């Protein structure tokens, strides 16, 4: 790593170089790339099946759903908020979508599902930004209610009347690439562009950094803050679409741990819980860390009861590592 | 004077800044040592090193004849070094008494249970030493800024420190409170307590100081006895050049009316009427709580207007929020700089914050356009920053203030509401801000200036309105008014002597 922190003349670089350097900087500054590399190195030594292209494809497919809703959660956390209703919004929009699919058709059902996710998220956002209610409590209430309605709507049974062609979204391939991987990487890329190149992204960072200052600059902070939650709901619903397609059914109890997986990945990825700081590249690395761990533990046939213990230790270790690094 | 504290060759760098550059300072026993310098000169960093909040890269601290290490503020207090910060370090939800004894051991009895009688006694003693008296069972958040500052000072006194560092302690105090603070300092001096006192105010330097050290760009420029110093000389040392005029007011012929306030009534304001012309700087005088902030905030859409109207260029405005105000080209420079900046964002991102429409196209930012605008203002206002990408929190106070000003200049505002625009910034930057106000007036902008520094208010305003209890009590032309008249009108007293 180079020591120089001086400002290079950015004009002489091509846009691609600039983006490349930007990605490198962002990932490096998120701090968690090193633990990821160490993890990959260790698992490669322990398990001969780990370091194969097929296995990496597997990991990417396994993390794709997590990546999608973690990007959404990152939007919310960047504003300085929190959302624990991701899993419930996912389940609720997924069961409605699956339930409507036979009658209204595949595309309209998906659109309705996404719209429901966006609306639920926006409701959270307006409660937080406009009514000034605490985000944790608002989304906790949403978590309980949306999850309950998912059960009420389905009577507790999975909705499995799913057309075969829909499964393409969950288990299909385009060329050598699994469809969920393409979608999730697309979401990541769009998320990065939105945060860096749109007014929405700018104000999301601004609101997380100092909401009052943004407001006193004449910005409609309520709109932008609420939108961040709306996007989180939308991406939760999109994750629900893919999960439903993969499982060929929408299960009301699905994705219970989603908000916590998302928060853990976002924070491990270097996004500040108080908002305003961090990048989606870091979140990507955070999601990968969890994917790699699960994958490695499965390859080593570690009993599932133990897996969460390892996850807990990793979360703690990664955060500790990051703090120590920041201090030195 | 025997030397009590010696800072030897203290050095500290941050990324891109050599904050403290091999500084040597000696402080005698029972001395009040004034520390002067512009923003970013390294005063605060140096004092944070001495009080354990930051660590020096190199250098030695000799205290009471011994070489000491100060790894934490707690250790500093144990050694008898107490620092009163500019940003208050009180816990707002605890009471005055709890805050005063916070961090000390005596408040517990043998069983480890808090001994409330002794806590109250100690807190009251500390306040008495300061010569002030207020309810120690009140929560700190219920107190005004000035009283909070006094609690902070009482807290350090109660720790029986031998060396007390004060970082601009009077910036939030009233005249009377300030007097009490000075008396306390003089009394404690007699008990052999030493002080290091950071300030921007020259009167304090001469009233209190024994010796003066001037820092500039992280280096100590000179140490001299206060009796031998004069203001011009000190300013020159601080700024590095001679300042021609501290208040470079330019006479500008005011043009047509731009802003008109008619019978404005809010929760706190009672029937305020006045008008502001293009090219005019209108000063607002008054005591804390007289309604000056409220008036600015009402014009900026932050207060509910009960009756009355605000007209811009003759047409009435309906201001429901700052969004409406900024749309109508009204700018508010807040009293607290931190409300004007997003410190986690970059310099350029802050400059364009109120002007995002200019640099975006249906929601997409045009970053090259943004850079162009930011570069223009960085050059125009001479903002000292290593790059456009620098995060604002790494800039010095004066430069931060310039970024806030740049934000409003970039937004093409027509009416500038300036609330303490030079608060906490150094002499050199102050003059730059005054010149900027002149330029704005010359361009035909309307400016309302709220300032607690009377010389500034009197020198820079064309006309002054004095507020008391939400009403305008008097109006003065700049040519025939004295500080005493303003004070008397603000306080509601008549001049008798």
């Amino acid at each position: 790593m180079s020591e120089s922190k001086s400002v290079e003349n950015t004009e002489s670089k091509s846009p691609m170089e600039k983006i490349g350097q930007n990605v490198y900087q962002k990932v490096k500054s998120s701090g968690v790339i090193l633990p990821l590399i160490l993890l990959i190195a260790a698992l490669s030594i322990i398990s001969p099946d780990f370091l194969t292209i097929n296995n990496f494809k597997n990991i990417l497919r396994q993390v794709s759903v997590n990546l999608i809703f973690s990007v959404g959660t990152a939007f919310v956390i960047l504003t300085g908020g929190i959302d624990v209703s991701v899993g419930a919004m996912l389940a609720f929009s997924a069961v409605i979508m699956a339930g409507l699919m036979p009658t209204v058709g595949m595309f309209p059902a998906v659109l309705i599902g996404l719209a429901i996710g966006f609306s639920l998220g926006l409701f959270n956002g307006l409660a937080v930004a406009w009514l000034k209610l605490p985000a944790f409590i608002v989304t906790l209430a949403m978590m309980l209610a949306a999850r309950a309605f998912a059960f009420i709507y389905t009577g507790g049974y999975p909705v499995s009347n799913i057309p075969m062609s829909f499964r393409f979204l969950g288990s299909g391939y385009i060329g050598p690439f699994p469809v969920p991987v393409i979608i999730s990487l697309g979401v990541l890329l769009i998320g990065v562009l939105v945060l860096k190149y749109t007014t929405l992204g700018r104000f999301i960072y601004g609101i997380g950094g100092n909401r009052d200052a943004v407001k006193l600059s004449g910005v409609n902070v309520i709109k932008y803050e609420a939108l961040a939650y709306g996007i989180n709901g939308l991406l939760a619903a999109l994750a629900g679409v893919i999960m439903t397609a993969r499982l060929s059914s929408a299960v009301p109890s699905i994705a219970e741990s989603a908000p916590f997986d998302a928060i853990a990945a976002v924070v491990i990825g270097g996004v500040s819980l108080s908002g305003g700081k961090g990048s989606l590249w870091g979140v990507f690395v955070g999601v990968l860390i969890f994917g790699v761990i699960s994958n490695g533990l499965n390859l080593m046939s570690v009993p599932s009861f133990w897996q969460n213990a390892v996850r807990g230790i990793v979360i703690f270790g990664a955060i500790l590592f990051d703090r120590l690094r920041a201090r030195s | 004077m025997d030397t009590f504290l010696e800072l030897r060759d203290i050095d500290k760098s941050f990324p891109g800044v050599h904050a403290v550059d091999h500084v040597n300072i000696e402080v005698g026993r029972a001395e009040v040592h004034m520390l002067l310098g512009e923003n970013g000169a390294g005063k605060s960093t140096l004092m944070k090193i001495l009080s354990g909040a930051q660590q020096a890269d190199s250098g030695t601290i000799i205290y009471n004849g011994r070489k000491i290490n100060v790894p934490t503020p707690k250790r500093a207090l144990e050694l008898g070094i107490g620092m009163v910060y500019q940003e208050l370090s009180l816990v707002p939800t605890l009471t005055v008494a709890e805050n005063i004894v916070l961090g000390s051991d005596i408040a517990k009895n043998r069983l480890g249970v808090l001994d409330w009688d002794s806590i109250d006694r100690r807190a009251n003693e500390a306040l008495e030493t300061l010569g002030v008296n207020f309810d120690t069972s009140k929560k700190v958040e219920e107190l005004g800024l000035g009283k909070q500052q006094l609690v902070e000072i009482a807290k350090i006194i109660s720790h029986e420190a031998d060396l007390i560092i004060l970082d601009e302690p009077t910036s939030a105090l009233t005249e009377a409170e300030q007097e009490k603070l000075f008396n306390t300092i003089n009394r404690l001096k007699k008990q052999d307590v030493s002080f290091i006192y950071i300030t921007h105010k020259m009167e304090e330097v001469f009233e209190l100081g024994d010796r003066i050290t001037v820092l500039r760009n992280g280096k100590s420029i000179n140490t001299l006895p206060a009796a031998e110093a004069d203001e011009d000389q000190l300013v020159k040392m601080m700024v590095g050049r001679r300042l021609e005029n501290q208040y470079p007011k330019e006479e500008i012929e005011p043009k047509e009316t731009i802003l008109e306030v008619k019978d404005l009534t809010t929760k706190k304001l009672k029937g305020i009427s006045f008008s502001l012309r293009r090219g005019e700087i209108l000063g607002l005088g008054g005591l804390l709580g007289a309604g000056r902030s409220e008036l600015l905030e009402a014009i900026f859409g932050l207060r509910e207007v009960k009756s009355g109207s605000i007209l811009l260029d003759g047409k009435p405005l309906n201001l429901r929020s700052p969004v409406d105000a900024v749309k109508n080209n009204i700018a508010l420079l807040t009293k607290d700089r931190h409300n004007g900046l997003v410190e986690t964002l970059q310099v350029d991102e802050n400059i364009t914050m109120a002007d995002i429409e200019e640099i975006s196209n249906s929601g997409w930012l045009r970053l090259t356009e943004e850079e162009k605008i930011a570069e223009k203002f960085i050059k125009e206002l001479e903002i000292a920053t290593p790059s456009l990408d620098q995060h604002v929190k790494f800039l010095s106070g004066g430069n931060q203030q310039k970024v806030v000003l740049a934000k409003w200049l970039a937004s093409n505002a027509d009416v500038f509401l300036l609330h303490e625009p030079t608060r906490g910034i150094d002499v050199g930057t102050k003059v730059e801000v005054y010149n900027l106000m002149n330029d704005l007036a010359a361009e035909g902008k309307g400016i309302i200036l709220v300032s607690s520094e009377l010389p500034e208010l009197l020198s820079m305003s064309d006309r002054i309105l004095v507020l008391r209890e939400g009403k305008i009590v008097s109006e003065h032309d700049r040519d025939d008014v004295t500080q005493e008249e303003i004070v008397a009108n603000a306080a509601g007293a008549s001049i008798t002597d």
Side-chain angles (χ1 to χ4, degrees):
Chain A
M1 263 177 260
S2 93
E3 284 292 315
S4 83
K5 276 206 156 179
S6 65
V7 203
E8 283 113 321
N9 186 0
T10 43
E11 279 165 36
S12 61
K13 290 208 171 87
S14 73
M16 275 318 285
E17 271 178 287
K18 263 171 102 170
I19 292 170
Q21 190 194 3
N22 190 15
V23 171
Y24 169 73
Q25 290 275 344
K26 285 281 161 62
V27 173
K28 197 179 82 175
S29 66
S30 75
V32 284
I33 189 82
L34 198 62
L36 178 63
I37 291 168
L38 290 177
L39 209 60
I40 290 174
L43 287 170
S44 310
I45 296 165
I46 298 168
S47 167
D49 301 327
F50 181 77
L51 202 60
T52 60
I53 287 181
N54 252 341
N55 190 42
F56 270 87
K57 221 186 265 174
N58 252 335
I59 293 176
L60 279 179
R61 192 169 47 206
Q62 283 156 2
V63 301
S64 55
V65 168
N66 269 31
L67 179 57
I68 292 170
F69 62 63
S70 295
V71 166
T73 295
F75 271 64
V76 168
I77 292 183
L78 279 172
T79 66
I82 195 90
D83 191 339
V84 295
S85 66
V86 171
M89 294 190 295
L90 188 160
F92 182 66
S93 56
V95 293
I96 303 259
M97 174 192 72
L100 290 178
M101 211 169 270
T103 44
V104 303
M106 199 164 83
F107 281 111
V110 168
L111 283 181
I112 291 169
L114 295 179
I116 288 172
F118 181 72
S119 312
L120 294 181
L122 202 62
F123 180 88
N124 280 337
L126 287 172
V128 172
W130 187 40
L131 301 178
K132 306 264 184 303
L133 303 178
F136 186 85
I137 306 298
V138 165
T139 58
L140 187 72
M142 176 61 77
M143 178 182 102
L144 294 172
R147 178 71 70 184
F149 280 117
F151 276 98
I152 292 165
Y153 180 76
T154 61
Y157 299 104
V159 186
S160 42
N161 208 354
I162 305 282
M164 278 304 284
S165 55
F166 182 64
R167 296 182 191 172
F168 175 75
L169 286 177
S171 39
Y173 279 82
I174 294 177
F177 304 108
V179 173
V181 173
I182 294 172
I183 294 177
S184 66
L185 291 180
V187 165
L188 174 69
L189 209 64
I190 293 170
V192 168
L193 292 176
V194 166
L195 284 181
K196 178 136 178 74
Y197 294 106
T198 69
T199 48
L200 171 67
R202 172 67 54 82
F203 292 138
I204 282 177
Y205 275 104
I207 288 167
N210 186 348
R211 191 179 196 274
D212 282 344
V214 178
K215 183 183 164 196
L216 291 172
S217 299
V219 175
N220 188 345
V221 281
I222 294 172
K223 172 173 124 190
Y224 291 103
E225 193 175 4
L227 265 178
Y229 286 83
I231 287 168
N232 193 26
L234 176 71
L235 291 181
L238 180 61
V241 170
I242 290 171
M243 272 185 132
T244 307
R246 172 130 37 100
L247 300 172
S248 303
S249 66
V251 186
S253 64
I254 205 168
E256 295 249 63
S257 70
F260 308 104
D261 293 343
I263 293 166
V266 167
V267 172
I268 283 206
V271 176
S272 159
L273 262 184
S274 51
K277 277 181 286 186
S279 82
L280 290 185
W281 297 112
V283 173
F284 184 37
V285 175
V287 169
L288 280 179
I289 286 183
F290 283 106
V292 166
I293 291 170
S294 301
N295 178 271
L297 294 176
N298 283 334
L299 285 180
M300 289 187 284
S301 338
V302 174
S304 64
F305 289 160
W306 278 97
Q307 295 202 3
N308 269 339
V310 174
R311 270 191 210 115
I313 293 166
V314 166
I315 293 177
F316 187 82
I319 292 296
L320 182 68
F321 173 84
D322 189 45
R323 278 296 136 78
L324 293 177
R325 197 189 57 101
R327 211 174 288 166
S328 64
Chain B
M1 200 178 326
D2 60 343
T3 301
F4 181 58
L5 169 82
E6 199 185 337
L7 298 173
R8 258 189 222 160
D9 219 23
I10 303 286
D11 201 74
K12 171 88 183 172
S13 291
F14 296 111
V17 208
H18 201 163
V20 178
D21 190 352
H22 299 281
V23 166
N24 292 290
I25 291 179
E26 277 179 31
V27 178
R29 200 179 292 279
E31 177 188 354
V32 178
H33 198 108
M34 309 303 285
L35 201 52
L36 292 184
E38 304 204 84
N39 287 96
K43 300 163 302 198
S44 295
T45 308
L46 185 65
M47 290 305 107
K48 280 181 183 160
I49 289 169
L50 177 57
S51 63
Q54 273 171 6
Q55 300 306 307
D57 296 338
S58 65
T60 325
I61 302 172
I62 314 274
Y63 177 73
N64 217 350
R66 284 187 304 133
K67 184 176 173 233
I68 57 161
N69 280 317
V70 202
T72 61
K74 187 167 169 22
R75 179 75 192 121
L77 264 183
E78 285 163 8
L79 287 163
I81 302 174
M83 172 142 183
V84 178
Y85 285 98
Q86 205 180 338
E87 315 88 45
L88 301 169
S89 56
L90 301 172
V91 185
T93 50
L94 292 183
T95 66
V96 171
E98 285 165 335
N99 266 290
I100 288 178
V101 300
L102 201 66
S104 59
D105 307 322
I106 69 126
K108 277 182 229 152
N109 68 14
R110 264 165 299 171
L111 294 171
V113 178
L114 292 176
D115 176 359
W116 289 105
D117 287 342
S118 109
I119 289 176
D120 283 341
R121 198 170 340 111
R122 227 180 108 170
N124 279 314
E125 273 169 22
L127 288 175
E128 263 165 45
T129 321
L130 255 178
V132 293
N133 193 353
F134 45 87
D135 188 359
T136 54
S137 63
K138 256 198 173 163
K139 283 190 179 153
V140 160
E141 62 190 355
E142 295 165 26
L143 303 177
L145 206 57
K147 282 200 170 151
Q148 290 189 10
Q149 184 82 56
L150 292 171
V151 173
E152 178 96 22
I153 295 166
K155 177 177 158 188
I156 296 300
I157 291 176
S158 85
H159 280 88
E160 285 161 9
D162 297 316
L163 173 69
I164 295 177
I165 305 163
L166 298 160
D167 191 354
E168 293 190 49
T170 57
S171 54
L173 298 189
T174 65
E175 203 108 327
E177 289 165 338
Q178 187 173 324
E179 203 50 48
K180 283 177 179 157
L181 174 65
F182 289 0
N183 289 338
T184 313
I185 290 175
N186 284 323
R187 196 162 58 241
L188 288 172
K189 241 176 96 172
K190 293 203 185 89
Q191 299 164 19
D192 268 359
V193 178
S194 309
F195 290 86
I196 298 179
Y197 192 112
I198 299 178
T199 184
H200 284 306
K201 297 184 187 163
M202 284 295 167
E203 314 94 77
E204 298 180 1
V205 174
F206 297 108
E207 189 173 342
L208 278 176
D210 293 308
R211 280 191 300 175
I212 303 161
T213 293
V214 179
L215 295 183
R216 188 171 78 230
N217 296 332
K219 297 192 184 76
S220 51
I221 301 300
N222 200 355
T223 298
L224 68 171
E228 291 170 22
D230 70 69
E231 190 171 332
D232 277 357
Q233 176 194 14
L234 290 176
V235 169
K236 196 180 158 199
M237 276 190 236
M238 280 159 62
V239 187
R241 64 193 140 82
R242 185 164 289 282
L243 275 184
E244 293 307 326
N245 184 354
Q246 247 185 299
Y247 300 107
K249 168 75 178 168
E250 276 169 30
E251 296 295 338
I252 288 144
E253 191 57 44
K255 296 184 220 28
E256 71 276 16
T257 299
I258 177 165
L259 183 80
E260 211 177 343
V261 172
K262 277 188 191 160
D263 210 24
L264 183 70
T265 301
T266 69
K267 205 170 155 204
K268 245 177 142 181
L269 300 175
K270 293 159 197 150
I272 299 273
S273 298
F274 68 89
S275 62
L276 172 73
R277 296 164 74 182
R278 289 184 180 273
E280 183 182 38
I281 300 179
L282 177 65
L284 295 185
L287 301 175
L288 272 178
R292 295 170 305 169
S293 324
E294 183 98 356
L295 179 52
L296 294 192
E297 285 166 9
I299 299 172
F300 199 62
L302 285 163
R303 297 283 160 176
E304 196 193 334
V305 173
K306 287 192 173 145
S307 65
S309 53
I310 300 168
L311 292 89
L312 187 75
D313 284 325
K315 52 175 208 295
L317 298 178
N318 179 17
L319 303 166
R320 288 156 305 175
S321 75
V323 178
D324 295 329
V326 173
K327 237 179 238 155
N328 285 295
N329 292 336
I330 299 173
L332 171 67
L333 191 87
T334 52
K335 178 167 153 189
D336 185 350
R337 202 157 47 230
H338 301 291
N339 285 334
L341 293 167
V342 182
E343 298 193 342
T344 50
L345 287 184
Q346 302 171 3
V347 171
D348 54 352
E349 294 168 340
N350 270 289
I351 289 178
T352 56
M353 181 68 75
D355 189 33
I356 208 84
E357 262 121 55
E358 189 65 32
I359 60 143
S360 62
N361 223 333
S362 49
W364 290 88
L365 298 169
R366 298 183 297 166
L367 295 182
T368 36
E369 191 66 21
E370 172 166 67
E371 279 174 23
K372 242 186 259 161
I373 291 176
E375 262 162 13
K376 176 177 155 223
F377 286 105
I378 286 173
K379 211 165 136 200
E380 244 177 71
L381 302 188
E382 295 175 15
I383 299 173
T385 170
S387 74
L388 294 175
D389 306 344
Q390 181 76 323
H391 287 239
V392 169
K393 67 175 164 202
F394 295 119
L395 300 189
S396 71
N399 282 305
Q400 288 184 349
Q401 187 73 319
K402 286 189 194 173
V403 171
V404 184
L405 281 163
K407 174 174 83 177
W408 291 121
L409 294 179
S411 81
N412 273 320
D414 285 327
V415 175
F416 284 78
L417 312 171
L418 306 179
H419 201 180
E420 308 284 358
T422 63
R423 186 177 183 220
I425 64 179
D426 55 70
V427 237
T429 313
K430 273 184 187 177
V431 173
E432 290 178 48
V433 171
Y434 299 142
N435 280 324
L436 194 66
M437 286 163 62
N438 287 330
D439 294 347
L440 288 173
E443 283 169 33
K445 317 279 191 191
I447 299 171
I448 299 181
L449 169 68
V450 169
S451 172
S452 307
E453 281 187 51
L454 286 175
E456 170 177 299
L457 191 69
L458 283 154
S459 312
M460 293 309 297
S461 309
D462 296 297
R463 197 155 53 98
I464 296 167
L465 303 176
V466 178
L467 272 73
R468 188 173 75 235
E469 289 165 10
K471 289 186 206 136
I472 295 176
V473 291
S474 63
E475 180 175 344
H476 310 269
D477 253 358
R478 106 189 205 95
D479 301 320
D480 53 28
V481 66
T482 60
Q483 289 197 27
E484 287 73 22
E485 275 176 79
I486 302 271
V487 171
N489 279 307
S494 54
I495 311 171
T496 45
D497 53 321

